[in-house]
Amino acid sequence: MVELNEKDGAVTFKLRVQPSASRTEIVGEHGGAIKLRVAAPPVDDRANEECRRFLARLFGVSISSIQIVSGRSSRDKLICVTNTTLPRVKEAFRL
């Protein structure tokens, strides 16, 4: 089960990223995290930026509202989304 936390107007969650996929999409859960395939290679921060762009569109927020708190060079990341609510994130993830 994915753990979502809301504090001070921000929602945090774990994300498992699979770079170099054929398209960017959410594919379910993996070890308590949302699993996201991204259509960008893990070089020059391209996979991280694609991840941020996708999540910004998904939640209807600006890309600056999506922060990678930890795991920039790892497949396992901690994401913080500002300017949104927990119900909105749950709805977007269909949880």
Side-chain angles (χ1 to χ4, degrees):
M1 173 164 251
V2 176
E3 184 178 331
L4 303 171
N5 297 302
E6 185 174 30
K7 183 178 178 185
D8 299 330
V11 178
T12 58
F13 56 90
K14 292 180 182 176
L15 191 70
R16 173 75 173 189
V17 177
Q18 178 187 339
S20 301
S22 60
R23 64 182 179 170
T24 301
E25 63 184 340
I26 293 174
V27 292
E29 297 179 31
H30 177 83
I34 296 292
K35 185 169 182 184
L36 176 67
R37 291 184 185 146
V38 293
V43 290
D44 299 330
D45 215 31
R46 287 195 274 177
N48 286 333
E49 289 309 306
E50 174 66 14
C51 172
R52 291 179 65 223
R53 274 192 297 276
F54 177 82
L55 292 173
R57 282 191 309 269
L58 182 68
F59 301 135
V61 297
S62 68
I63 195 167
S64 63
S65 295
I66 309 291
Q67 298 173 331
I68 300 174
V69 177
S70 65
R72 286 197 76 82
S73 60
S74 171
R75 289 177 181 235
D76 297 310
K77 304 180 184 307
L78 181 62
I79 304 295
C80 178
V81 184
T82 56
N83 302 319
T84 193
T85 62
L86 187 59
R88 191 171 182 184
V89 171
K90 284 183 176 182
E91 180 182 325
F93 286 146
R94 310 239 192 280
L95 296 175

